[in-house]
Amino acid sequence: MRIATWNVNSLKQRMPRFLPWLDERRPDVVCLQETKLTDDALAELLGDEVSDRGYQLAAHGESAWNGVAILSKAGLDDVVSGLAAGPGFPHPEARAVAATCGGVRVHSVYVPNGREPDSDHYRYKLEWLAALKDVVAAGPDAAVVCGDMNIAPTDADVFDHDAYIGQTHVTPPEREALAALQSLGLHDVVRDRWPNQRVFSYWDYRAGMFHQDLGMRIDLILASGPVADRVQAAWIDRQARKGKGPSDHAPVIVDLDEAPDGDIGPVVPPPSNPVTRRGAKKLPQA
């Protein structure tokens, strides 16, 4: 079973790229984030296209912001939208949807950004992650949490940790909240498979960050032990970030039981000329 997760940064804008990608990579389960569509609008846009390809669809969305979805060829049972007892800002947002696909409980999540350390939105982010942990803890043993975590787990997951001083995504409380989620027995399957590799999933649109491979790894697939034991390949589909009109995120792909493309490597294709010297570049917003 091939599981993929992708923050598409507006599914409507990404449709010319999304459908060809779906046909090329042929995932059995796809978790989407930042669809930016209501459920009815997403079904109208995507419903016939995915049903013709054999997918069932579960979505939890809102107009213009946020939005998550799961597409599955492996069954789609016990769909739950949102997080039980989850916080709002001030109202609950469309940031989580879960379903059982092929015997695995699949969570598609779009973790709040946090905006600025110690802001109200930052505290909301930490509360939201605690609520996600409670939901996953109550679930079955076979589970995956897929999505845009808006947290780089370690300094190795950003191009230069000095560039992120004073920024969200890298602060100790955020990383501790992510580690608490993983303490349920969830494995970061890409990092487990490629412990020493430079691997990013997000690159800012500005300042040529993608072409210089100045990115972050914030899109994760976290798998419980019974699922992690089945992983045969885990990689970032960097090809989907190239070319005209991409999302600023690349898909993360994990193959269970068999790997149709082989153990393909951590990043496909690898960057050609990455900037690696610390202090050489700053964030565009800095």
Side-chain angles (χ1 to χ4, degrees), residues 88-101:
F89 193 78
H91 306 294
E93 298 179 307
R95 292 185 175 273
V97 64
T100 300
C101 310

Side-chain angles (χ1 to χ4, degrees), residues 220-282:
L220 309 179
I221 294 181
L222 306 177
S224 66
V227 181
D229 288 344
R230 298 167 57 190
V231 172
Q232 299 300 309
W235 46 289
I236 308 293
D237 187 2
R238 188 174 173 275
Q239 182 67 33
R241 177 61 174 81
K242 298 175 72 174
K244 183 179 178 180
S247 170
D248 44 3
H249 297 251
V252 183
I253 296 177
V254 169
D255 290 320
L256 305 182
D257 303 324
E258 61 180 359
D261 298 301
D263 199 1
I264 195 168
V267 182
V268 181
S272 58
N273 190 29
V275 173
T276 58
R277 182 167 59 86
R278 283 181 58 183
K281 296 289 181 177
K282 294 183 178 180

Side-chain angles (χ1 to χ4, degrees), residues 159-160 162-164 206-207 209 214 279-286:
F159 73 87
D160 181 350
D162 289 345
Y164 288 88
R206 297 168 291 180
M209 300 291 276
L214 301 173
K281 296 289 181 177
K282 294 183 178 180
L283 298 180
Q285 66 268 31

Side-chain angles (χ1 to χ4, degrees), residues 50-51 59 190 205:
V50 297
S51 63
V190 169
Y205 285 126

Side-chain angles (χ1 to χ4, degrees), residues 192-237:
D192 284 358
R193 200 157 193 90
W194 307 104
N196 301 311
Q197 301 292 326
R198 179 181 169 108
V199 184
F200 303 138
S201 65
Y202 164 85
W203 302 261
D204 195 294
Y205 285 126
R206 297 168 291 180
M209 300 291 276
F210 175 67
H211 303 292
Q212 300 171 87
D213 197 36
L214 301 173
M216 310 176 73
R217 192 176 70 93
I218 57 176
D219 303 272
L220 309 179
I221 294 181
L222 306 177
S224 66
V227 181
D229 288 344
R230 298 167 57 190
V231 172
Q232 299 300 309
W235 46 289
I236 308 293
D237 187 2

Side-chain angles (χ1 to χ4, degrees), residues 7 33-34 66 93 95 109-115 121-122 124-126 128-129 132 146-154 157-158 164 167-171 173-175 177-178 201-202 216-220 248-249:
N7 179 325
Q33 300 86 42
E34 270 202 283
N66 307 317
E93 298 179 307
R95 292 185 175 273
V109 302
Y110 178 42
V111 175
N113 177 282
R115 298 181 183 171
H121 202 266
Y122 181 89
Y124 162 57
K125 179 178 190 174
L126 299 180
W128 195 94
L129 283 161
L132 174 62
C146 305
D148 179 357
M149 305 296 173
N150 270 316
I151 300 169
T154 71
D157 298 304
V158 297
Y164 288 88
Q167 304 288 328
T168 57
H169 295 57
V170 300
T171 65
E174 292 169 285
R175 287 176 169 173
L178 179 61
S201 65
Y202 164 85
M216 310 176 73
R217 192 176 70 93
I218 57 176
D219 303 272
L220 309 179
D248 44 3
H249 297 251

